[in-house]
């Protein structure tokens, strides 16, 4: 029990100073606070409003595409807004993450925005192009047993094929 008290005191001390230095504009601490609140880790309670605040501050100072992607998820699912999506913001942040490159999750979520008309008019061609560009690289990673998002890309391509809106309806594909 004594060890637990010391452990909690240590976390409270660290949390206090993380917040103080983050308020002074330290990028890495804003990042750390944002993700701790987002995930509810390292002694922090999950709090999407606090996560959004710190990740927005972090993004303002760093233009980090991974932070943009996370903000896209927050806004897409309305995590800081009682479940009400903020579609335009989601689209904006996923687009930033995608355009920075090497951010496959931002790419397929941007495709979702085009497929669902989130923050942009529905555009099956744009969604298809985003996914088809990632199909071969993700398939290669899958076949090489490397971390990949092949299933996520295939799911979106299958939904486009199933809809028949951009390519001919092809349930076999």
């Amino acid at each position: 029990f004594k060890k637990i008290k010391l452990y909690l005191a240590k976390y409270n001390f660290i949390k206090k100073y993380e917040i103080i230095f983050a308020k002074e504009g330290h990028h890495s601490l804003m990042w750390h606070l944002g993700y701790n609140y987002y995930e509810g880790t390292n002694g922090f309670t999950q709090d999407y409003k606090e996560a959004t605040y710190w990740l927005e501050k972090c993004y303002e100072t760093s233009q980090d595409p991974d932070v943009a992607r996370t903000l896209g998820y927050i806004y897409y699912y309305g995590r800081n807004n009682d479940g009400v999506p903020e579609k335009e913001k989601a689209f904006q942040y996923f687009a930033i993450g995608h355009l920075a490159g090497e951010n496959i999750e931002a790419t397929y979520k941007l495709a979702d925005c085009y497929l669902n008309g989130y923050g942009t008019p529905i555009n099956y061609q744009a969604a298809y192009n985003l996914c088809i560009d990632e199909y071969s690289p993700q398939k290669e990673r899958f076949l090489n047993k490397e971390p990949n998002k092949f299933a996520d890309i295939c799911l979106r391509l299958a939904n486009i094929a199933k809809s028949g809106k951009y390519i001919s309806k092809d349930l076999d594909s």
Side-chain angles (χ1 to χ4, degrees):
F1 188 70
K2 199 174 196 180
K3 285 185 180 181
I4 292 173
K5 281 181 140 179
L6 287 172
Y7 183 74
L8 291 174
K10 175 184 159 188
Y11 263 124
N12 287 333
F13 176 81
I14 292 170
K15 284 171 55 174
K16 176 182 174 182
Y17 284 97
E18 277 185 4
I19 293 168
I20 288 170
F21 288 118
K23 286 180 179 177
E24 291 180 2
H26 292 272
H27 165 74
S28 61
L29 291 175
M30 288 185 280
W31 183 93
H32 194 257
L33 280 172
Y35 282 100
N36 279 331
Y37 280 119
Y38 184 76
E39 297 168 349
T41 54
N42 295 320
F44 289 82
T45 303
Q46 189 174 50
D47 183 332
Y48 291 124
K49 290 185 184 201
E50 281 293 314
T52 303
Y53 174 81
W54 288 112
L55 292 172
E56 286 277 6
K57 291 290 228 182
C58 180
Y59 182 75
E60 288 172 15
T61 63
S62 69
Q63 308 298 297
D64 183 330
D66 287 327
V67 172
R69 182 213 54 216
T70 302
L71 286 165
Y73 272 100
I74 289 170
Y75 291 121
Y76 189 91
Y77 293 106
R79 289 182 173 149
N80 67 339
N81 195 23
D82 297 321
V84 178
E86 295 178 65
K87 299 171 183 180
E88 290 77 19
K89 288 182 179 180
F91 177 80
Q92 171 193 346
Y93 281 113
F94 287 138
I96 290 166
H98 164 71
L99 292 172
E102 307 259 342
N103 200 318
I104 184 67
E105 288 180 14
T107 298
Y108 69 69
K109 291 306 290 179
L110 183 61
D112 286 348
C113 288
Y114 281 117
L115 288 172
N116 297 306
Y118 271 36
T120 186
I122 290 174
N123 187 332
Y124 291 98
Q125 180 179 356
Y128 177 82
N129 289 342
L130 287 167
C131 292
I132 205 67
D133 287 347
E134 285 296 332
Y135 179 82
S136 292
Q138 293 302 312
K139 180 180 178 184
E140 186 70 28
R141 293 176 68 86
F142 172 76
L143 293 173
N144 288 329
K145 297 180 179 158
E146 298 171 9
N148 65 82
K149 297 292 183 178
F150 186 56
D152 296 293
I153 293 298
C154 289
L155 174 64
R156 280 135 182 105
L157 287 170
N159 285 335
I160 294 167
K162 181 180 170 186
S163 75
K165 300 288 184 183
Y166 175 65
I167 56 176
S168 298
K169 189 169 188 173
D170 182 358
L171 297 180
D172 290 336
S173 293

